Amino acid sequence: MDIVLVTTIIASLFLVIGMAEPLAARLRLPYSVILAVLGVLIGAGATFFLRTELTDALNPVAEAILGLPIRSNVFLYVFLPTLLFQATLGMNLRRMLDDWVPILVLAVVAVVVATLSVGYALSWTSTLPLAACLLIGAIVSTTDPSAVVSIFRSISAPRRLARIIEGESLLNDAAAIALFGLFMGFVMLGVPDPSLRDALAQFPMLILGGVLTGWLAARVAVWVMALFSRHELAQISISVSLPYLAYIGAEQSIGASGVIAVVAAGLTLNLAGPGRLPPQAWANLREVWDLLAHWAGALIFILAALLIPRLLEEVRVEDFVLIGVVILAAIAARAVILFVLLPALTLLRLSPQVERPYRAAILWGGLRGAVTLALALAVTESFRVPVEVKRVVGILATGFTLFTLIVQGTTLRAVIARLGLDRLSPIDEALSRQVVAVALQTVREDVARTTDNYDLTRKIVRSEAKRFGDRLDQAVKMAEASADILDRDRITLGLIALAGFERDTILARVRERTISARMADQLLSDAERLIENARSGGRSGYQRAARRSIAYGRAFRAAVVLNSRLDVSWPLARMTADRFEALLAQRLILRDLGAFIDGRIRRIHGRRVAELLHELLSRRIEAVETALEGLRLQYPGYAEKLERRFIRRTALRLEEREYTAMREDGLIGAEVFTALMQGLTLRRTAAEERPRLDIALQRSELFRQFPLFADLDDAGLRRLGRALKTRYVNAGETIIHKDSAAKSVFFIASGAVELESAGQTWRLGRGEMFGQMAILMNKARRAEVRAIAPSTLLVLDEERFRRLLSRSTALQDAVRASAEKRGIAPDALFSDDSRSRAT
């Protein structure tokens, strides 16, 4: 085939891709539907001109189009890894982990249910063997969420809902292709009726082998990319090679799922990349992958659609009946997932509540696309698959894909409108009217000031001012008509706006490079959680999300267990350093929010709402300061290093701004500017390096600062360090329950606790202890103790506490003072019997 002609055709396809997006926007149709229709038209047109006797002038072009080397391997080995890898890089994994149960269950269970539903429905209504029917079920169980997600975003649907759909679709594709490989093997081996046990027995190896291969490949890639920190193009080039090497390695080397390997590699790079690569390099890498995925997704749709006329050449009347069976079975399977399984998960509190209209939209938006066509093409190309099976697979998969694209895709927006999902809620509608009124008032003031600077005709100015004034009066009347928004709703809307501005501020700080990309991911996840919780739970939901942003998570607790029981300290050191940096960045961001409340929210929602938001913001700042102060007391030297690092990065940002301004003003030339920026880049690389946290060293320093251990020598401190266990508790967590056995004494390293006994309440802070009374009086605990702030506690068992008490005068004085404070006679604690036990 002539290379010039092939190049022309490929360039023309890119031209079609460029025209398809604005055409889809103009026709208000999903982008994938437009691509598929254009591909079918191109393929049908090429077939027509090749066979018609009207003209032979276009025969070379038609032959080139139909003769393009489009094989299933092109889709599976070139385009599919690109799409999957970019999808994993674009995910907010921290937010995905909040919903990992519904995502995983919906993805895996949905694939199995759809495969079995379609497979057994076909086996009952056709003469195909069960293995072939299950193969068709696996092929059509993949979904393309792009259409429904894009529409959900355009109508401001809950982000959590779109996130669940995206995550489910990604894992859905992986699981479906893994099942496809299983049943394809059964068909090629001539196994007519495979047992589900045989299929599921091979499934774990496909999954686990793919996960291990992808994780290992990504870890090696991240290590190599970190070595080339000053060579951004080299890093991007390595990232391009990663999904293909992972895919081929899993498929060809160990017989695992290449799709799973690509997903695992992408997720690993998503987690590790921001912390190991420079922020700008990571941002550029993701932009490159966005472009590659856009091209790959468009090409896979067009090229697969070119094959549709060929796949439907041998269609028969009875095949339309089987296509109807596939459509009904697939829709029924998805309906079971959405209207039975998903509500059950919601009742079990494993999934967020998804309203019925949204579930109906998801059901109708379950489009199939290029992946389904690519898998069908792989079957039709295999010489080991029976001819009749190849024909039926191609026709059913293609027919079902066309139904979802042409019927469901073109009517999806109308269905969403019918469900009322494209309309603002009454609260948002009333808010929009007030926002318009406030905005127009501001515009009028600005216009009045700026028109004085122009030499304009007074008549024109007067007429335009009257026209604008009429619009303003109308907006004010509409706003006054909807002024009956409840204060509770105004608070909710104000909190959503405040959290949205917090997210924007984080992005601005990342662009300024005062916050690292790794910390930005965590802070952005917290901000999005604030938005979603405020939208669903109002003030209480916002406060829950705020507390969670500074709480000790499960991973942190697991790291504590590894450090205390197995002496593996690096996970705890890393997470503690992350917590330090996140709290510093969060404090920086929160202090910028007060001006937004006064400047914007007060004008829209009024003084009362603004004052309440100020109060909630003050509580958040106080909580962050408390958590940060606790870490600073626990690791004093490390806090100073981090603050110095922040100052250096800020200074470098200001230095870069000055160089850029001088270059734009023509004070320095391009050569000088380049030299200055190279030096700045070297200093910035050094400043980006986070100081190492030595937990053991910092722990000994903490003991030295503890007032109760002031009279211990170095040997005693070392013994105490080996005996004390560290426990981290979140605000609201109960530490000691009433009537529990007295086995330990707790020393507060940071934070604060509240002790309640006999109707009285005491608050204890850093340097104080609790739990000693019950041990010394040999009684069950009468007090309940709970944390009122994220706290770090040092725990000492009874035997070691008694030994320490017998040697430490400072500790004895502290015990006496604590007893007197609670109205207990100190002599009751230091009786002869207690002293004999202590010795």
Side-chain angles (χ1 to χ4, degrees):
M1 187 179 295
D2 185 9
I3 187 63
V4 175
L5 189 56
V6 173
T7 304
T8 303
I9 292 174
I10 295 176
S12 300
L13 291 180
F14 274 95
L15 181 62
V16 171
I17 292 171
M19 296 172 59
E21 189 170 4
L23 179 61
R26 186 174 183 83
L27 298 178
R28 296 175 61 82
L29 291 174
Y31 180 52
S32 56
V33 172
I34 296 298
L35 288 174
V37 170
L38 291 176
V40 171
L41 291 177
I42 293 172
T47 304
F48 171 78
F49 283 112
L50 190 62
R51 296 179 179 178
T52 186
E53 297 180 357
L54 296 176
T55 179
D56 294 333
L58 297 177
N59 282 3
V61 177
E63 290 176 353
I65 291 175
L66 297 178
L68 285 174
I70 307 172
R71 300 291 181 269
S72 61
N73 287 343
V74 174
F75 296 110
L76 298 178
Y77 282 89
V78 177
F79 295 132
L80 189 60
T82 304
L83 293 175
L84 294 174
F85 193 74
Q86 185 274 336
T88 58
L89 290 183
M91 285 182 172
N92 188 333
L93 293 183
R94 288 183 174 85
R95 301 297 289 118
M96 287 286 185
L97 290 176
D98 291 345
D99 301 308
W100 70 272
V101 172
I103 288 174
L104 192 62
V105 172
L106 285 173
V108 176
V109 176
V111 167
V112 173
V113 170
T115 301
L116 295 179
S117 175
V118 174
Y120 281 100
L122 283 176
S123 69
W124 295 333
T125 56
S126 70
T127 58
L128 293 173
L130 179 60
C133 296
L134 293 174
L135 176 64
I136 296 172
I139 290 173
V140 302
S141 62
T142 63
T143 59
D144 175 19
S146 58
V148 67
V149 168
S150 63
I151 294 177
F152 275 1
R153 286 174 177 168
S154 68
I155 63 175
S156 299
R159 295 184 184 179
R160 196 175 190 185
L161 180 59
R163 193 165 52 243
I164 289 175
I165 297 171
E166 288 178 326
E168 180 236 345
S169 175
L170 177 65
L171 299 181
N172 176 300
D173 286 348
I177 294 173
L179 280 178
F180 165 81
L182 286 177
F183 294 121
M184 185 69 171
F186 288 133
V187 171
M188 290 190 299
L189 292 175
V191 180
D193 299 313
S195 67
L196 196 57
R197 182 189 304 174
D198 296 337
L200 295 179
Q202 301 178 41
F203 205 62
M205 177 56 193
L206 289 171
I207 302 296
L208 296 178
V211 169
L212 181 61
T213 303
W215 175 82
L216 185 60
R219 295 302 302 180
V220 173
V222 170
W223 177 73
V224 175
M225 292 164 71
L227 295 179
F228 302 153
S229 59
R230 296 173 54 189
H231 304 279
E232 185 177 309
L233 295 180
Q235 294 173 334
I236 295 175
S237 301
I238 292 171
S239 74
V240 172
S241 71
L242 174 58
Y244 299 103
L245 294 178
Y247 188 95
I248 294 171
E251 289 275 347
Q252 304 298 326
S253 300
I254 62 175
S257 171
V259 174
I260 299 292
V262 171
V263 172
L267 295 177
T268 304
L269 182 59
N270 192 338
L271 288 173
R276 301 294 300 275
L277 305 181
Q280 192 58 44
W282 177 250
N284 292 340
L285 182 148
R286 290 182 58 171
E287 287 180 1
V288 168
W289 272 103
D290 288 342
L291 181 60
L292 291 176
H294 175 73
W295 286 342
L299 285 173
I300 196 174
F301 256 107
I302 289 181
L303 294 177
L306 287 175
L307 305 173
I308 288 178
R310 190 176 76 190
L311 292 173
L312 295 179
E313 281 182 342
E314 301 180 14
V315 65
R316 302 169 185 169
V317 176
E318 57 268 22
D319 294 331
F320 289 100
V321 177
L322 296 182
I323 292 175
V325 170
V326 173
I327 292 171
L328 293 176
I331 293 178
R334 193 152 181 82
V336 168
I337 298 299
L338 290 169
F339 292 95
V340 178
L341 181 59
L342 194 58
L345 292 177
T346 303
L347 290 176
L348 296 174
R349 296 185 178 180
L350 296 176
S351 170
Q353 182 177 1
V354 181
E355 301 295 337
R356 183 178 293 271
Y358 286 112
R359 280 182 275 154
I362 295 171
L363 174 64
W364 196 246
L367 309 184
R368 270 60 170 183
V371 175
T372 299
L373 294 176
L375 296 180
L377 184 62
V379 175
T380 61
E381 291 177 355
S382 176
F383 64 91
R384 300 174 62 182
V385 176
V387 176
E388 180 60 19
V389 172
K390 289 195 290 186
R391 187 191 71 84
V392 174
V393 168
I395 290 173
L396 297 187
T398 304
F400 180 61
T401 301
L402 287 176
F403 172 83
T404 63
L405 290 174
I406 296 175
V407 178
Q408 293 179 232
T410 56
T411 59
L412 179 58
R413 190 174 291 274
V415 169
I416 288 178
R418 180 71 175 175
L419 294 170
L421 299 179
D422 59 342
R423 294 190 294 269
L424 290 176
S425 66
I427 297 176
D428 288 337
E429 181 67 31
L431 175 65
S432 67
R433 294 174 181 174
Q434 293 202 349
V435 168
V436 169
V438 172
L440 290 180
Q441 288 175 356
T442 304
V443 171
R444 183 181 65 176
E445 296 169 2
D446 293 340
V447 168
R449 286 193 296 267
T450 55
T451 51
D452 294 337
N453 301 325
Y454 299 93
D455 187 15
L456 300 176
T457 304
R458 182 172 299 180
K459 181 179 179 181
I460 297 176
V461 173
R462 190 184 302 115
S463 64
E464 289 299 317
K466 183 179 184 303
R467 181 179 179 183
F468 187 85
D470 293 341
R471 184 184 172 199
L472 176 59
D473 292 339
Q474 183 67 23
V476 171
K477 290 179 181 178
M478 295 179 66
E480 291 175 350
S482 61
D484 56 345
I485 306 177
L486 298 177
D487 284 348
R488 179 188 60 193
D489 296 330
R490 289 187 181 277
I491 292 169
T492 297
L493 294 170
L495 289 172
I496 294 172
L498 186 64
F501 181 75
E502 181 175 344
R503 180 183 56 199
D504 296 339
T505 305
I506 294 168
L507 293 172
R509 295 291 184 179
V510 173
R511 288 192 292 268
E512 296 172 354
R513 302 189 71 168
T514 52
I515 296 178
S516 66
R518 180 177 179 179
M519 284 301 101
D521 284 345
Q522 178 178 338
L523 295 175
L524 287 172
S525 297
D526 292 337
E528 290 180 2
R529 190 179 290 111
L530 286 169
I531 295 173
E532 293 171 7
N533 283 29
R535 188 177 292 276
S536 61
R539 186 196 313 183
S540 59
Y542 180 90
Q543 290 175 313
R544 282 196 305 272
R547 288 193 296 268
R548 180 174 177 176
S549 67
I550 61 173
Y552 296 105
R554 295 177 181 175
F556 194 94
R557 295 173 183 273
V560 172
V561 172
L562 287 176
N563 179 62
S564 60
R565 297 186 180 180
L566 302 179
D567 201 26
V568 179
S569 61
W570 67 265
L572 180 59
R574 179 181 177 183
M575 291 183 183
T576 303
D578 286 346
R579 180 174 174 81
F580 242 128
E581 190 173 358
L583 288 172
L584 284 172
Q586 198 169 359
R587 183 182 64 177
L588 173 70
I589 298 299
L590 291 178
R591 289 181 175 178
D592 292 340
L593 302 184
F596 178 75
I597 295 175
D598 292 330
R600 306 293 289 179
I601 294 180
R602 183 187 295 270
R603 299 189 64 183
I604 297 175
H605 296 292
R607 181 178 57 83
R608 291 177 55 190
V609 173
E611 290 176 352
L612 180 59
L613 294 189
H614 270 299
E615 181 183 347
L616 293 175
L617 180 61
S618 299
R619 292 179 185 175
R620 282 191 66 192
I621 294 175
E622 182 181 356
V624 170
E625 291 282 5
T626 301
L628 192 56
E629 182 63 21
L631 283 176
R632 188 178 284 109
L633 292 170
Q634 193 174 354
Y635 307 106
Y638 190 74
E640 180 181 345
K641 291 179 181 178
L642 282 182
E643 289 175 349
R644 290 183 181 277
R645 172 175 174 254
F646 174 77
I647 294 173
R648 293 192 195 103
R649 292 168 65 179
T650 303
L652 289 171
R653 174 178 61 84
L654 297 175
E655 183 180 355
E656 180 183 12
R657 187 182 66 184
E658 289 299 315
Y659 294 156
T660 303
M662 291 179 185
R663 176 72 179 90
E664 292 174 351
D665 293 340
L667 297 176
I668 58 177
E671 296 83 0
V672 175
F673 179 75
T674 301
L676 291 173
M677 292 304 296
Q678 287 176 348
L680 183 66
T681 300
L682 291 176
R683 292 192 297 275
R684 177 166 276 158
T685 301
E688 292 285 349
E689 189 70 24
R690 190 168 66 183
R692 181 175 175 271
L693 174 61
D694 189 334
I695 286 190
L697 178 62
Q698 296 284 336
R699 185 182 173 92
S700 64
E701 289 296 324
L702 171 66
F703 295 155
R704 293 182 188 280
Q705 296 180 24
F706 222 93
L708 300 178
F709 309 140
D711 57 351
L712 295 180
D713 55 15
D714 291 342
L717 285 174
R718 286 194 295 271
R719 288 194 300 271
L720 181 63
R722 290 191 294 268
L724 283 168
K725 303 297 182 184
T726 306
R727 179 178 173 183
Y728 298 88
V729 293
N730 292 317
E733 185 175 339
T734 300
I735 304 167
I736 293 178
H737 295 273
K738 288 183 179 179
D739 301 323
S740 60
K743 297 180 181 179
S744 304
V745 178
F746 299 83
F747 301 89
I748 304 174
S750 66
V753 302
E754 189 174 73
L755 186 149
E756 183 180 349
S757 177
Q760 291 184 307
T761 300
W762 295 273
R763 289 193 172 185
L764 308 178
R766 179 180 179 269
E768 298 187 90
M769 62 179 167
F770 59 91
Q772 74 279 7
M773 299 299 179
I775 287 180
L776 294 176
M777 298 178 69
N778 198 23
K779 294 181 179 179
R781 301 189 190 275
R782 296 178 179 177
E784 181 173 278
V785 183
R786 61 179 175 273
I788 56 176
S791 304
T792 303
L793 307 177
L794 304 176
V795 187
L796 192 63
D797 62 61
E798 179 181 357
E799 181 181 352
R800 290 186 175 91
F801 171 72
R802 291 184 181 276
R803 282 206 299 263
L804 178 63
L805 183 64
S806 65
R807 296 194 303 269
S808 174
T809 304
L811 188 59
Q812 292 174 11
D813 294 339
V815 169
R816 289 191 179 94
S818 177
E820 292 174 353
K821 183 178 179 181
R822 302 181 198 180
I824 300 174
D827 294 339
L829 301 177
F830 294 95
S831 61
D832 293 338
D833 182 49
S834 64
R835 288 198 182 104
S836 64
R837 283 197 302 269
T839 55

